[in-house]
Amino acid sequence: MGDVICDDYLEIFYMIKRIIGLSIILTIGGILLLSFRTKENVDLSSYSTEGLDLYYIAPNFNEIEDDNTFISPELGKSYIGFKEAVAFKESRGDYGVVNQFGYLGKYQFGKGTLALIGVKNVKRNKFLSDPVLQEKAFYANLSRNKWVLRRDIKWFVGRRMNGVEVTESGILAAAHLSGPGAVKKYLRSGGVEGFADAFGTTIRYYMKRFGGYDTSFVVPNKKAKVI
């Protein structure tokens, strides 16, 4: 009698074992089948972020307000197009304007910058009423900045930084905004060391807005002077 009961228990045990084994096999098979069907039916490439600009910095109000307001198909991406675009951003192209911080003329020069390029002992009204002098000052400042930033232009042009392609014209425009020293820090820190002027305009914004112009006309000159 005891042997019969023992045999019954063994039979039940093996039956349960077979059921569990079969359940495991069916579960694994179902998972594999589902995975194959998923690969066939879902195009995962549509979820790829490759090529997307995932670094975004929200511009301040000043940058939104006048973005892309200067369009000149005739001048295009030439040097003249570049300087007129910068002038429009700085002063709307007005030679006679002085802003609330004392920056002068079409390109909004500070007195310190003008002194560096040889414009000294020139009365404010004389400078504001002399378009030729202002144009010479703009070129001299570009020429000096291009010399100061010559290595950075060589190293960084063509790279992307904070979602913006670095170009020579963008670098020179940013140097006009912040000075070449601040642009060096920005580039050599990978865009970490930033700068914003009194209106909140950033180096990144200038590099984006004024990128891609032909500034090969500008000759780098350490001692560039107007007078």
Side-chain angles (χ1 to χ4, degrees), residues 3-223:
D3 292 338
V4 173
I5 294 173
C6 185
D7 290 339
D8 289 341
Y9 278 122
L10 285 174
E11 186 175 350
I12 293 171
F13 172 76
Y14 286 123
M15 184 181 297
I16 293 172
K17 188 175 180 181
R18 285 195 296 271
I19 291 171
I20 293 173
L22 182 60
S23 299
I24 292 172
I25 292 172
L26 290 173
T27 301
I28 294 173
I31 292 172
L32 291 174
L33 179 62
L34 182 61
S35 66
F36 285 132
R37 291 186 63 184
T38 301
K39 289 180 180 178
E40 291 174 359
N41 296 333
V42 179
D43 182 8
L44 296 178
S45 64
S46 62
Y47 297 95
S48 174
T49 59
E50 183 178 357
L52 296 179
D53 183 0
L54 301 179
Y55 193 106
Y56 180 75
I57 298 176
N60 60 46
F61 179 77
N62 180 57
E63 293 175 355
I64 295 172
E65 183 180 31
D66 62 2
D67 194 20
N68 296 323
T69 51
F70 181 83
I71 301 173
S72 177
E74 295 82 7
L75 300 177
K77 290 290 188 175
S78 65
Y79 167 73
I80 296 176
F82 169 73
K83 74 182 187 68
E84 293 304 321
V86 172
F88 189 82
K89 174 66 178 71
E90 293 287 345
S91 69
R92 296 297 191 270
D94 186 348
Y95 286 107
V97 71
V98 180
N99 77 1
Q100 62 264 49
F101 301 106
Y103 289 89
L104 307 172
K106 181 178 178 180
Y107 300 103
Q108 292 292 279
F109 281 108
K111 292 181 179 179
T113 299
L114 289 174
L116 283 174
I117 54 178
V119 182
K120 301 176 182 179
N121 302 319
V122 176
K123 292 184 178 180
R124 187 174 79 169
N125 289 341
K126 171 66 171 68
F127 181 79
L128 294 174
S129 62
D130 192 338
V132 174
L133 179 59
Q134 291 190 38
E135 295 297 339
K136 287 182 177 179
F138 181 73
Y139 178 83
N141 190 48
L142 281 182
S143 182
R144 179 181 177 276
N145 287 341
K146 190 170 181 177
W147 185 88
V148 173
L149 293 162
R150 64 196 184 283
R151 293 190 181 92
D152 300 272
I153 290 170
K154 181 179 179 180
W155 293 338
F156 294 105
V157 165
R159 299 188 187 184
R160 292 188 70 82
M161 196 168 294
N162 291 341
V164 176
E165 182 179 354
V166 179
T167 65
E168 180 179 290
S169 62
I171 288 174
L172 293 178
H176 181 81
L177 169 76
S178 64
V183 175
K184 273 190 179 185
K185 288 182 180 179
Y186 178 83
L187 292 172
R188 296 183 186 188
S189 69
V192 175
E193 292 285 338
F195 169 90
D197 70 2
F199 298 103
T201 308
T202 62
I203 287 176
R204 178 188 180 274
Y205 173 71
Y206 257 54
M207 292 188 71
K208 180 179 180 181
R209 178 162 182 168
F210 300 108
Y213 286 87
D214 181 6
T215 51
S216 59
F217 173 79
V218 180
V219 178
N221 183 355
K222 179 182 180 180
K223 299 180 180 180

